[in-house]
Amino acid sequence: IQSSAPIESISRDVNILAKLVKVDGAIEQFIGSNGVNITLELLGRSKESQSLTFGVLSILRIAAQDESMVDLIKQNDGIVTIVHAMEEHYTREDLLVEGGKLLSSLCSSNDIDEAMNILENPSSNNAQRMYAAAIISNLSLDEQLIQNIIQRNGIETLLGLIDDTGDNVGNIAVRAL
């Protein structure tokens, strides 16, 4: 996939690829061809196309069924990239569900603990708080992870962020609730 190609062409190709990787053996070929790194790079262009973002999230969700790919995605700042892409298109529910499924396969209760610690720490900067709130918001789409958020007093913490005057932190907290 050429990054200089028009976004419509890339989006179309990615959505075709998202269908192809569901065929037996295809995901292995995708993984073996450096496909995860390529799709993470494309996800960096998420502002340009909701369709592209949805297709990339779908592909990565399938790839994340392979434990070694979970590590690769994490090592390449995939979680940050995925969260940013989801925040770009937070009004498209199907995209959020797809991204939420992907994040739930990548994140654990440790990630929830880390995000909650950032949100509870008054010395955390605004960028850290936005990222942590977005992680909690996106992980709240997973029923199992919701329990972890609640056990960490997530409701109380998120309610406390609603009046946050920083870049969109309050809005993200409302979506999580």
Side-chain angles (χ1 to χ4, degrees):
I1 301 174
Q2 297 177 7
S3 63
S4 62
I7 197 68
E8 299 82 21
S9 297
I10 295 171
S11 179
R12 183 193 65 238
D13 293 346
V14 163
N15 282 290
I16 291 169
L17 184 59
K19 292 175 185 169
L20 291 174
V21 296
K22 294 177 184 176
V23 175
D24 284 344
I27 195 65
E28 289 80 13
Q29 289 180 27
F30 172 80
I31 290 169
S33 299
N34 198 30
V36 170
N37 287 327
I38 292 168
T39 51
L40 285 172
E41 285 179 36
L42 286 173
L43 199 54
R45 295 182 67 178
S46 64
K47 285 183 181 182
E48 298 176 57
S49 170
Q50 289 182 354
S51 178
L52 171 70
T53 303
F54 183 82
V56 169
L57 292 174
S58 298
I59 293 167
L60 289 173
R61 184 179 57 80
I62 294 166
Q65 293 171 0
D66 181 316
E67 192 62 38
S68 66
M69 291 302 101
V70 169
D71 293 337
L72 180 64
I73 292 168
K74 286 181 173 184
Q75 290 166 3
N76 287 294
D77 292 326
I79 293 175
V80 172
T81 305
I82 292 162
V83 168
H84 286 300
M86 291 173 70
E87 288 303 304
E88 287 294 328
H89 305 292
Y90 69 89
T91 59
R92 188 166 162 191
E93 188 162 338
D94 62 336
L95 189 146
L96 294 179
V97 168
E98 192 70 20
K101 289 177 185 176
L102 172 57
L103 283 176
S104 69
S105 68
L106 298 173
C107 297
S108 66
S109 59
N110 292 340
D111 296 299
I112 292 171
D113 289 342
E114 185 177 318
M116 292 302 294
N117 288 338
I118 290 169
L119 293 174
E120 293 166 348
N121 183 348
S123 65
S124 297
N125 68 40
N126 204 42
Q128 291 171 319
R129 293 167 58 79
M130 277 188 57
Y131 174 73
I135 283 282
I136 297 299
S137 175
N138 292 316
L139 290 177
S140 69
L141 298 169
D142 182 280
E143 290 295 324
Q144 186 177 5
L145 294 175
I146 286 174
Q147 294 305 314
N148 292 0
I149 294 168
I150 291 170
Q151 289 172 354
R152 274 297 314 259
N153 295 321
I155 304 285
E156 182 180 334
T157 301
L158 291 168
L159 284 171
L161 294 174
I162 290 176
D163 291 331
D164 196 302
T165 57
D167 285 337
N168 216 18
V169 174
N171 293 336
I172 296 169
V174 168
R175 282 201 317 269
L177 291 169

